[in-house]
Amino acid sequence: MASDDIYILGIYMTKFGKYPDKDTVDLAAEAVMAALADGGVTMKDMGIMAAGCLMGQGGIGQQIQKQVGQTGIPVYNVSNACATGATALRTAIMAIKAGECDMGLAVGVEKLAGVGLLGASPASKGSGKEWKATGRYGSVANTDGLIGTNNMPGTFAQVGMEYGHKYGGATFELFAKISEKNHAHSTLNPLAAYNKRMTLDEIMNDIMIAYPNTRPMCSANCDGAAAAVVVSGKKLKTLSLEQQRRAIKVSASILTSDPYQEACQVLPDVNTLTRIAAKQAYEQAGVSPSDLNLVELHDCFATAELVHYDNLMLCEEGGAVDFFNSGATWRDGKTPVNVSGGLESKGHPIAATGIANIWEVCHHLRGEAGPRQIEGAKVGLAHVIGLGSACGVHILEKSAL
Amino acid sequence: MTTTQVPLVDYLALGDKPHLVANECTSCGARFFDRRNACASCFATEFKKVDIATEGEVRSFTIVTFAAPGVPVPFVAAIVDCGGTSVRANVINCDPTPEKVTLGMKVRLATYSLGNDDNGAEAIGFGFEPIA
């Protein structure tokens, strides 16, 4: 291992679900303490902490420290929509790369069970009203529902439909089949919020949220946390052989924002920044999409998963529909995608997601994934996208030991 | 007595031929509908007003059946390609079903009343309706 390589030394995700008796600090503390224990280290070894909780009041990192260990290290509280967890991880990695420390901690936590529709804003009130222009568009009323939709299911529905318009074949049934796959995968994941297999009929006939996304085709709001300990290659060499054997190499760590494209301020462009991040990640890691043994990608909606097959270059440009129909992304396929169950079934506690997907990949690369183990997994990719937009891509590799 | 009309958004021009107006970057031609500080594409700071075509084609859509409290559903949210400029709008005067709304369908701008405020001013909204 090269001295300037970065490794995941310890990592953990809580079971995703409903925790009425625990707050965000409880969940994050569980994840942090377990990630440290997994890596065989303590808070005393950490040189930096990066933490995220999108719906929180801020200062989540210091609140966690007050429960698990206040050592005076710098804390970066980060916020980057659904890419918050990946941003926290990348922040810790950058501190190590910059030579400021040799070990760091990243944690993401969210309590979302029962919050309902994300992104939607209530209609303006009618009484005593005056049509008065406000904001950057000079609007006299809340435009959500009058000029398109702000809610997430509808936004990502349009992302998938746009792909269908461009390349064809993206039917309601196709999107539902993607969801069917992820719900089927989740039956093997005891940490998923939902473990129920659903038939195509059940998915298509469930409550329609925003055509073509029915309820099970939307990410599941739930509570959860995930944390990771990262270490420099130089430091890892001084640790035990067991720690070195279980350490997972971070072959690429990339974060991008959305570059200007025509229409990107009309409908968020989640494609260009993902494609750029993927390209940079493959170059940095020196691997190609065909080398990947598994992929955890940001299926916040079934309509999103389809476009990211293409954006992550898992298939030919424009070929995502055929790629899915070939069975490639099922767990026994060529490129298993979201064997955890994905956001649709494992769940999506926003700030935890960008570390939980890394945990899933590490679990397989370590050969510790039990009944859902992808046999012989050596290389995996984790992708998240936060609307607005931010995209995180990490490529992970099994230890050579 | 004539009623004062106000557009739902600044970029909707009312009058005999209602249409949308964009801020176009004089340097690179990028078009924006909001108040600008600079161009997101080339960072220039000069803009001119340009009229947007009132006919276009639906490039993407969704039929929203769950929305925030007070937002009437179902409605069709869409991205309409108006002669090369993408516009966000609802598809109106059309059944909100996947049988009636289709990718690539031809549409044109239409306006409608959002009601009067306490001063008697009438707000005018817009959407795109199918070209029969």
Side-chain angles (χ1 to χ4, degrees), chain A residues 121 123 128-129 131 136-137 139-140 145 147-151 157-158 161-162 165 208-211 260 262-263 265, chain B residues 8 10 30 34-37 41 59-63 65-66 68-70 75 86 88 90 115-119 121 123:
Chain A
S121 34
K129 72 184 177 188
W131 299 122
R136 300 198 73 91
Y137 294 94
S139 48
V140 301
I147 303 178
T149 180
N150 293 340
N151 75 39
Q158 290 176 89
M161 294 291 277
E162 182 184 43
H165 183 44
M208 182 60 76
I209 305 293
Y211 179 90
Y260 176 80
E262 198 283 319
Q265 296 192 15
Chain B
L8 172 59
D10 276 349
D34 63 346
R35 168 163 62 82
R36 298 306 303 177
N37 298 91
S41 180
R59 209 182 74 207
S60 185
F61 74 92
T62 179
I63 303 162
T65 33
F66 259 74
F75 65 91
S86 295
R88 175 180 153 149
N90 286 7
N116 292 5
D117 70 8
D118 293 348
N119 306 322

Side-chain angles (χ1 to χ4, degrees), chain B residues 45-68:
Chain B
T45 53
E46 298 291 324
F47 294 88
K48 65 177 183 193
K49 299 283 182 192
V50 291
D51 292 349
I52 302 299
T54 55
E55 293 191 0
E57 98 177 25
V58 173
R59 209 182 74 207
S60 185
F61 74 92
T62 179
I63 303 162
V64 177
T65 33
F66 259 74

Side-chain angles (χ1 to χ4, degrees), chain B residues 8-103:
Chain B
L8 172 59
V9 284
D10 276 349
Y11 62 89
L12 171 63
L14 300 176
D16 291 344
K17 290 183 178 166
H19 61 280
L20 303 180
V21 179
N23 293 311
E24 183 180 283
C25 174
T26 56
S27 175
C28 75
R31 290 177 172 184
F32 305 92
F33 290 103
D34 63 346
R35 168 163 62 82
R36 298 306 303 177
N37 298 91
C39 176
S41 180
C42 76
F43 336 129
T45 53
E46 298 291 324
F47 294 88
K48 65 177 183 193
K49 299 283 182 192
V50 291
D51 292 349
I52 302 299
T54 55
E55 293 191 0
E57 98 177 25
V58 173
R59 209 182 74 207
S60 185
F61 74 92
T62 179
I63 303 162
V64 177
T65 33
F66 259 74
V71 175
V73 289
F75 65 91
V76 180
I79 305 301
V80 179
D81 181 344
C82 293
T85 301
S86 295
V87 173
R88 175 180 153 149
N90 286 7
V91 174
I92 60 173
N93 304 331
C94 176
D95 279 349
T97 64
E99 290 73 38
K100 294 288 181 190
V101 187
T102 53
L103 292 168

